[in-house]
Amino acid sequence: MSPAPLLAASPAVQVHAVAAMAAFGIGLAMLLRRKGGPGHRRLGQVWVGLMALTALSSFFIANLQTWGGWSPIHLLSAATLAALAYAVAMARAGRIRAHRTAMTALFAGALVITGGFTLMPGRIMHAVVFGAGGDGASAGDGQPKRAEPTATRG
C-alpha cells in the first residue's frame, strides 16, 4: 500500500479521494453510534460537508468523458448533491425515518458501491491499495499498464 499514485494525481483527484475516505470513516462511525442529539448533528454536518466536497470535486475530474466533458459519474454527483439536500431537509422537518433512509442509501450508494469501483485494476485507488502492478494491471499512476514487447528466444 502506497499513497504515491494518489500524490501524483491532480489536485482535484486528491481532494475528491481524501474527502471520500474521510466521509466513509465518519459515515461508518455515524452508522454505529447512537442517533440523535448534538453530537450526531455536529458529526452529521461534517459528513454532509465532506460528501458535498466529494461530489463537487468530481466535476473537476474528467478522466471518463462520455458526453463532452461529462460522464455517468457526474450524474451520480448531481444526484448525491440532491439527495444530501433532501436528507437534511427531512431531518429539519422531523421526518427521521425518511432522513435515515436517505442517509443510509447515500452511504451505501455514493461511498460503498462507488468506492468499490475505485478499487478496480487501472484506477488510482487500486494502485494505492494493492500497489503498482501488484496484479499486472496498474502502472502505479492509475493508468493501465501497457504491454511491453517480449523478446523471443531463438
Side-chain angles (χ1 to χ4, degrees):
M1 186 165 185
S2 169
L6 184 57
L7 296 174
S10 72
V13 170
Q14 292 176 9
V15 166
H16 182 77
V18 169
M21 288 184 285
F24 180 82
I26 290 173
L28 194 56
M30 294 288 289
L31 289 173
L32 298 175
R33 66 186 303 230
R34 183 171 115 29
K35 310 301 184 278
H40 174 83
R41 180 177 290 180
R42 185 69 61 205
L43 204 52
Q45 290 168 338
V46 171
W47 188 81
V48 167
L50 287 167
M51 288 297 292
L53 180 59
T54 301
L56 290 169
S57 64
S58 77
F59 292 107
F60 298 95
I61 301 171
N63 294 357
L64 177 67
Q65 297 179 358
T66 306
W67 313 290
W70 306 103
S71 75
I73 297 299
H74 295 116
L75 291 176
L76 174 65
S77 296
T80 297
L81 292 169
L84 285 169
Y86 170 79
V88 169
M90 291 300 97
R92 289 182 177 165
R95 296 186 54 199
I96 302 308
R97 178 178 235 151
H99 168 73
R100 181 184 318 119
T101 300
M103 289 301 197
T104 302
L106 271 166
F107 181 81
L111 289 173
V112 176
I113 293 171
T114 57
F117 284 113
T118 69
L119 297 175
M120 293 175 61
R123 305 291 307 267
I124 291 171
M125 292 311 294
H126 179 274
V128 168
V129 173
F130 300 109
D135 65 355
S138 173
D141 59 359
Q143 302 300 315
K145 189 185 275 185
R146 291 198 171 101
E148 298 293 329
T150 57
T152 58
R153 292 183 185 195

